[in-house]
Amino acid sequence: MKIATFNINGVRARIETLTGWLSEAQPDVVVLQEIKTQDEGFPAEPIADLGYNIETHGQKGFNGVAILSRYPIEDVMRGLPGDDTDEQSRYIEATVVGDRAIRIAGLYLPNGNPFPGPKFDYKLAWMERLRARGQALLAAETPAVMLGDFNVIPEPRDAAHPERWLDDALFQPESRASLRRIIHDGWTEAVRLRDPDATRGPFTFWDYQAGAWQKDNGIRIDHILLSPQAADLLVDLGIDRDERAKDKPSDHVPVWVTLDA
DNA sequence: ATGGTTGTCATACAA
């Protein structure tokens, strides 16, 4: 089962970017972030035509997440638990049933800029809620995958120019420590397994501005966390870096794992 | 210090 995350940066504006990648990469399950549409505006037909079931958690104008799956989607949960007043659509969780059932948590973690300020406070509070939800998923002792745009640069080597991010919410010590706490509860960070000793990169995001892609001025902020039972099924992983060079790209590229499931 | 880009919605805001 190939499971991917893709911050599409507007699914209506980039539907052909998405369907082109789906046709080429053939993922079984995809979590999308920044669909930037309400549920009723989601361009379901061209995606369903490629064989995907669709569950969305949309929002007008900003944010919005979705799950696409070639397998049946069951027990959908919309919104991150822990704050009834939170109206931002940044979390969707569901079970996909292939050879085995896998719990999928698709997330769009708050950016948190400008730092400091209320948006950064919201980011840290959201991360504490995510940690609690992650602990519940781990306690189930079943295969679970928590993946998406985490908006956190884990380490200096995850940025081409880490010194430029020192004042940014994505690279604050508090953000990084919070992500470490989540992972240390028992998750396996999949992408870093490929080259554990890399001194720079790989990256998953390149800003549209100032020729960041051409200069390979990227950061790694899209992550895939595996529960122990999911990590035991890990077969392969990758970053579809080439998508960033195509027409009308998102500023993020897809990141994926293959599980024996 | 500023401008550099993009999507959405309506002229800024979020990223």
Side-chain angles (χ1 to χ4, degrees), chain A residues 157-190:
Chain A
R157 61 180 171 159
D158 294 309
H161 301 284
E163 72 281 2
R164 299 182 192 177
W165 294 91
L166 292 174
D167 296 327
D168 195 286
L170 278 60
F171 195 54
Q172 287 310 301
E174 297 96 321
S175 310
R176 296 168 56 197
S178 185
L179 178 59
R180 283 198 299 275
R181 279 196 294 275
I182 292 168
I183 293 171
H184 290 170
D185 284 332
W187 297 95
T188 295
E189 217 247 277

Side-chain angles (χ1 to χ4, degrees), chain A residues 128-144:
Chain A
E128 286 305 310
R129 290 162 56 201
L130 181 64
R131 185 183 183 198
R133 186 59 198 163
Q135 288 171 342
L137 292 171
L138 291 169
E141 299 189 352
T142 58

Side-chain angles (χ1 to χ4, degrees), chain A residues 7 107 109 111 148-154 158 165 170 179 202-206 219-224 251-252 255:
Chain A
N7 181 322
L107 63 102
L109 208 148
N111 176 297
D149 177 358
F150 281 70
N151 266 318
V152 176
I153 302 168
D158 294 309
W165 294 91
L170 278 60
L179 178 59
F203 305 133
T204 66
F205 168 94
W206 296 260
I219 53 176
R220 191 171 70 96
I221 55 176
D222 300 273
H223 306 303
I224 302 180
D251 40 7
H252 297 250
V255 183

Side-chain angles (χ1 to χ4, degrees), chain A residues 36-186:
Chain A
K36 293 187 176 180
T37 175
Q38 299 173 97
D39 295 338
E40 51 269 35
F42 189 90
E45 187 173 322
I47 296 170
D49 285 348
L50 294 174
Y52 292 93
N53 302 301
I54 301 168
E55 294 291 341
T56 61
H57 182 39
Q59 182 176 343
K60 183 175 182 175
F62 306 101
N63 304 325
V65 291
I67 296 181
L68 320 177
S69 173
R70 288 169 146 164
Y71 299 115
I73 305 176
E74 301 179 351
D75 301 322
V76 181
M77 188 177 85
R78 292 173 173 79
L80 182 62
D83 181 358
D84 292 341
T85 68
D86 185 0
E87 304 202 328
Q88 300 194 34
S89 296
R90 297 179 171 275
Y91 188 88
I92 186 168
E93 190 184 297
T95 300
V96 295
V97 186
D99 293 341
R100 326 174 56 134
I102 310 285
R103 192 67 179 165
I104 303 287
L107 63 102
Y108 176 46
L109 208 148
N111 176 297
N113 282 302
F115 166 81
K119 290 187 175 179
F120 186 70
D121 298 340
Y122 173 65
K123 176 182 193 139
L124 293 183
W126 203 94
M127 292 185 80
E128 286 305 310
R129 290 162 56 201
L130 181 64
R131 185 183 183 198
R133 186 59 198 163
Q135 288 171 342
L137 292 171
L138 291 169
E141 299 189 352
T142 58
V145 183
M146 200 157 72
L147 73 170
D149 177 358
F150 281 70
N151 266 318
V152 176
I153 302 168
E155 301 178 70
R157 61 180 171 159
D158 294 309
H161 301 284
E163 72 281 2
R164 299 182 192 177
W165 294 91
L166 292 174
D167 296 327
D168 195 286
L170 278 60
F171 195 54
Q172 287 310 301
E174 297 96 321
S175 310
R176 296 168 56 197
S178 185
L179 178 59
R180 283 198 299 275
R181 279 196 294 275
I182 292 168
I183 293 171
H184 290 170
D185 284 332

